[in-house]
Amino acid sequence: QKEVEQDPGPLSVPEGAIVSLNCTYSNSAFQYFMWYRQYSRKGPELLMYTYSSGNKEDGRFTAQVDKSSKYISLFIRDSQPSDSATYLCAMGIQGAQKLVFGQGTRLTINP
Amino acid sequence: GAVVSQHPSRVICKSGTSVKIECRSLDFQATTMFWYRQFPKQSLMLMATSNEGSKATYEQGVEKDKFLINHASLTLSTLTVTSAHPEDSSFYICSAQGGQTLYGYTFGSGTRLTVV
């Protein structure tokens, strides 16, 4: 079993829809949770980070963490074609250098 | 904000030659840099972790004699793919941590290596 599981998609939705992206994990030691966005042939860029259960909102993006279920989500409201990218979840442990990444979900927002 | 510059963005080389990829932190000191490999439609695979002034730590299955990593300064790390073969063709990405909290990782823009 992988430490972090993420549905690779692809996921295709119409413009304006609410998008839900999810990851599950098996290691209860994970303390930090991040979402990265990666455009084609570019490096990932950090979108959101959280370190506690609950919701964190930033503009159209909401990151949700449920440590009891070992489940994290990223919601995108009012999705735009420019949101089309691969979204990767990542997790880490305080004091450890490495992040563990999910496989990434390819998202396409259709105009 | 923190910026990591990675060069070249794209390189094509002949089989058997070596290729060097540079990763520079432009506005912060990167005590730790990470090198990843990414195949099409797949996630990032960590190859090695390098700390300034010390030998890199390679992940299981990564040949350290083939993928040479040097982190000689707090702003520069290099990955050299030696005796490249077509199966080494991939997207290589570096990321840097500036000694801050875990979310202080910044990624470079990646290098697409094609070995012909």
Side-chain angles (χ1 to χ4, degrees), chain A residues 5 10 12 27 68:
Chain A
E5 298 273 4
S12 183
N27 188 348
S68 62

Side-chain angles (χ1 to χ4, degrees), chain A residues 87-106:
Chain A
Y87 290 80
L88 300 122
C89 63
M91 307 178 187
I93 301 170
Q94 188 171 13
Q97 291 181 315
K98 295 189 291 188
L99 292 180
V100 179
F101 284 87
Q103 189 175 349
T105 301
R106 282 202 304 139

